[in-house]
Amino acid sequence: MTAPATPTAPTTRTADDLLKAAKRSPVVKVENVPQWGTVYIRGLSTHEYTIFDSSGVKVGSDTYAAQNAVMLRYGIVDENGKHIFGDEHIEDLADLPAEVTRPIIKALYRACGVGVDLGN
């Protein structure tokens, strides 16, 4: 029979402790993307995710920014984690076939932890 766990005193962590503990998402390889082959991605930073999340907001009188294109812009990287697309590519990314972008978007959502709380 094991002894019950001894309660531990709450640990106060500083801002520096928390910031040092949080690491940037690793670069992940997404293979067999239709028409593209292998693509590298990385989960978005909080800043990037905020830009992505707000991109679904109405931009003009009847125009919405292409939210998935913004996620692709920030999430697709080279092997070293450097962005390969810029803001100037968002419209072109929005025009890509869904068969190309869908597997990448799904992988990016996983890399960002989206859907984990929903059991997905």
Side-chain angles (χ1 to χ4, degrees), residues 57-64:
V57 177
K58 203 169 200 180
V59 176
S61 60
D62 60 350
T63 306
Y64 288 85

Side-chain angles (χ1 to χ4, degrees), residues 12-99:
T12 304
R13 296 180 73 185
T14 67
D16 284 341
D17 293 337
L18 296 172
L19 291 170
K20 288 177 186 173
K23 304 292 183 221
R24 189 66 200 261
S25 299
V27 173
V28 176
K29 186 188 296 189
V30 181
E31 296 180 310
N32 302 315
V33 175
Q35 299 183 40
W36 280 10
T38 299
V39 175
Y40 294 90
I41 63 162
R42 183 182 62 208
L44 280 57
S45 69
T46 299
H47 177 75
E48 293 166 344
Y49 195 85
T50 300
I51 293 169
F52 154 75
D53 204 32
S54 64
S55 66
V57 177
K58 203 169 200 180
V59 176
S61 60
D62 60 350
T63 306
Y64 288 85
Q67 195 171 27
N68 282 345
V70 173
M71 181 173 266
L72 293 167
R73 179 265 188 261
Y74 286 109
I76 297 175
V77 295
D78 65 16
E79 298 90 346
N80 300 309
K82 184 178 179 211
H83 294 125
I84 60 173
F85 292 111
D87 291 342
E88 69 276 13
H89 298 111
I90 290 175
E91 286 186 40
D92 292 328
L93 290 166
D95 286 336
L96 289 172
E99 76 166 324

